[in-house]
Amino acid sequence: MEIFHPKEVEHRSALMRVLQDGLRPDGAAFPIEAEYPLVLGQGKEAFSYCLGTSEKPLAHANLWPRRLVGGTPSSDLRIGLVGNVVTHEQYRGQGLARDLLEGLKQEAIQHGLQALVLWSDLNAFYQKCGFSSCSEELRWLISVPRQEHSASESKVVLQHEPSLELCAALLASRLPIGPTIERSAKEFQTLLRIPQVSLMTTKATTPSAAAATFTIMGKGCDMIGVVHEWGAVDALALVEQVKAQGRRLGYSEVLLLTPARLPATWQEALHKQATQVQSHPMALAWCQPGATRSILEHSFIWGLDSI
Ligand SMILES: CC(C)(COP(=O)(O)OP(=O)(O)OC[C@H]1O[C@@H](n2cnc3c(N)ncnc32)[C@H](O)[C@@H]1OP(=O)(O)O)[C@@H](O)C(=O)NCCC(=O)NCCS
């Protein structure tokens, strides 16, 4: 069986059905392509790899070439993010997903991508396919006290249609922590339109002042009650806004994701605020031989980049 990209419109809809049935078996209030606009949207077919026939795709995976940039010492690494891995229900257990992932590795080698990175709880399956845990993140559990008229609430605002200027300011305001995925303001703006994404910022008139402290919670059917991307002047300002996010949606607890290599002062402050903290592998990765692994181990990939 050959690996191919979906081309015609009708092939695209057959593929979306396989994705929707396999990845959202309980249904969803929005189509799966709305959750992954940069890899499943119209015109993004080159990032989709299928096995089967174009009329009947049996297995699918996205491969999205990206740059891992920044950190100290500064890195610039081309890697592939992998996501939306699915095999048609009736064809599982026949090695299709493994064959497809092997195909993606060959594609990575051919195109100079040093590693493939993905997010999944299916450790056993991905280990069989040559992936292993990489880097660490911290998951802080923050209790949300019920408070109807908190002074901190008047300092924040929900952003529904962030401008490109605000998106650029938000990118600049993220804590600079190790290598991370390069993202343009335009891509950020598109990602912020994913259903169930809640962007809260400081209430201010200029983009840079608004971006001083910001939080992003939720992402389609994923990251429900999870703040997975943020920037803040200090840890206390961050926690206040995490609570405001939780209060708005009526959650009693919110999970805050941070890199494990957070500066010590931030960690101390967060320890005082959180009811619980757990260290967890950030992602699963397959690497080409060489120095890549150590760069990946120091990386942190923000929530909107994961596919
Ligand atoms: C997970 C999934 C993609 C696997 O597809 P598949 O084509 O059946 O997988 P393969 O047949 O290539 O399996 C390769 C190996 O992994 C094993 N495996 C498959 N699914 C597994 C699972 N869920 N847990 C543990 N091992 C698994 C197989 O038994 C096989 O091992 P073997 O070589 O020892 O026999 C498929 O079950 C699926 O579409 N699930 C629903 C969507 C999903 O959860 N996708 C992953 C999102 S991150």
Side-chain angles (χ1 to χ4, degrees), residues 22-23 85-87 91-99 119-120 122 124-126 128-129:
L23 296 167
V85 179
V86 65
T87 297
Y91 296 84
R92 290 182 190 162
Q94 299 176 23
L96 293 185
R98 189 196 345 244
D99 288 353
W119 290 262
S120 176
L122 299 180
F125 163 67
Y126 283 108
K128 284 188 173 177
C129 297

Side-chain angles (χ1 to χ4, degrees), residues 121-301:
D121 295 329
L122 299 180
N123 281 340
F125 163 67
Y126 283 108
Q127 268 165 21
K128 284 188 173 177
C129 297
F131 287 75
S132 56
S133 300
C134 89
S135 194
E136 286 289 314
E137 68 184 19
L138 296 176
R139 299 179 175 184
W140 307 84
L141 194 62
I142 309 286
S143 289
V144 181
R146 260 193 259 153
Q147 234 174 303
E148 302 242 323
H149 299 292
S150 155
S152 59
E153 241 81 333
S154 62
K155 295 184 205 151
V156 297
V157 64
L158 272 183
Q159 302 278 356
H160 297 290
E161 285 291 333
S163 65
L164 275 181
E165 291 73 21
L166 178 59
C167 291
L170 297 173
L171 285 172
S173 135
R174 296 188 307 191
L175 205 66
I177 21 83
T180 195
I181 297 291
E182 184 178 51
R183 186 198 298 162
S184 69
K186 183 87 191 112
E187 287 169 337
F188 201 178
Q189 195 179 42
T190 303
L191 291 168
L192 287 168
R193 292 194 190 113
I194 294 172
Q196 308 298 327
V197 166
S198 168
L199 166 63
M200 199 174 260
T201 70
T202 310
K203 199 174 202 170
T205 47
T206 66
S208 59
T213 296
F214 80 91
T215 47
I216 298 173
M217 184 163 76
K219 177 178 174 244
C221 293
D222 288 333
M223 310 268 199
I224 295 165
V226 179
V227 169
H228 51 82
E229 192 151 332
W230 51 269
V233 287
D234 58 42
L236 271 183
L238 173 61
V239 170
E240 276 310 304
Q241 210 178 89
V242 167
K243 289 179 184 171
Q245 283 268 24
R247 206 148 33 227
R248 190 181 77 82
L249 291 168
Y251 297 133
S252 57
E253 292 176 321
V254 171
L255 212 55
L256 167 68
L257 304 189
T258 74
R261 289 165 191 273
L262 209 54
T265 49
W266 280 73
Q267 296 222 23
E268 278 163 32
L270 286 176
H271 270 292
K272 287 188 190 140
Q273 297 291 324
T275 50
Q276 199 182 315
V277 57
Q278 277 182 346
S279 177
H280 200 272
M282 183 199 66
L284 293 164
W286 165 85
C287 295
Q288 289 210 49
T292 309
R293 186 105 213 168
S294 68
I295 298 173
L296 268 184
E297 287 301 340
H298 287 79
S299 71
F300 181 72
I301 298 180

